[in-house]
Amino acid sequence: MSLTLRELTLEELADLHATELQEAFPPEERKPFAAMATLVRRGAYHPLGAWEGETLVGYALLWTGPSAPYVLVDYLGVTAARRGGGLGGEILRLLRERFRGWDGILVESEAPQGGEKDALQRRRLAFYGRCGFTPMGYDCLLFGVHYRTFLLSPNGRGTEQAALAAHQALYAAQFPPDQLARYIQIPLDPDKPLQAAGSWAGKTDLPGREEKGVSV
């Protein structure tokens, strides 16, 4: 059966958040549903479900910026019952088709830091490479966590310079200046460490989070 993407309703997003995201990501990695809903109402957040017929088998939760034709993958996942079968790559293929007229699809994936999560982080980085994403020449620091950045240009017109500007503009549009200065470095400045934001638990006012999620 073929895979299709369609935007989730807020009710469907709430159910996804309470089930699949709870299972796949620890509390510090989960954006509160209230923050997601706020962004959806602003028109800046687009939760897509991947469906086989009437069965939800995966999801791609996306952020769009205020002007440039770039989209950021916030969460990408396959439901627990369907992982390991290549559906994550198929979802990215469908995203490329859906945004075929856009300059870029951006990804932030946590950089290995020499800890116990290194193997998982390296698998995530390799996954995006296999799916056609190109590493960009800058990293970023978000809420105290170091990320590598990737770009896929569906229409072939995306550039790293424009992607960086769109990346910065997306966060600037959603965070007040004091929080932007405190928690966000795009690109990462190794000489200017940030104060970590701590766990997402109990936070509903900020639209970012410590970890960028992929569960495929």
Side-chain angles (χ1 to χ4, degrees), residues 28-47:
E28 66 273 14
E29 298 183 13
R30 294 194 300 267
K31 180 188 273 86
F33 172 71
M36 290 182 176
T38 295
L39 289 171
V40 169
R41 295 185 183 104
R42 292 177 186 171
Y45 206 72
H46 307 274

Side-chain angles (χ1 to χ4, degrees), residues 17 27-28 30-35 197-206 208:
H17 191 280
E28 66 273 14
R30 294 194 300 267
K31 180 188 273 86
F33 172 71
S199 172
W200 247 116
K203 296 182 184 293
T204 59
D205 57 331
L206 301 177

Side-chain angles (χ1 to χ4, degrees), residues 110-127:
E110 189 176 0
Q113 300 295 313
E116 60 182 20
K117 295 195 297 180
D118 255 20
L120 174 62
Q121 291 157 354
R122 293 186 188 281
R123 285 198 301 271
R124 289 173 173 174
L125 296 172
F127 166 74

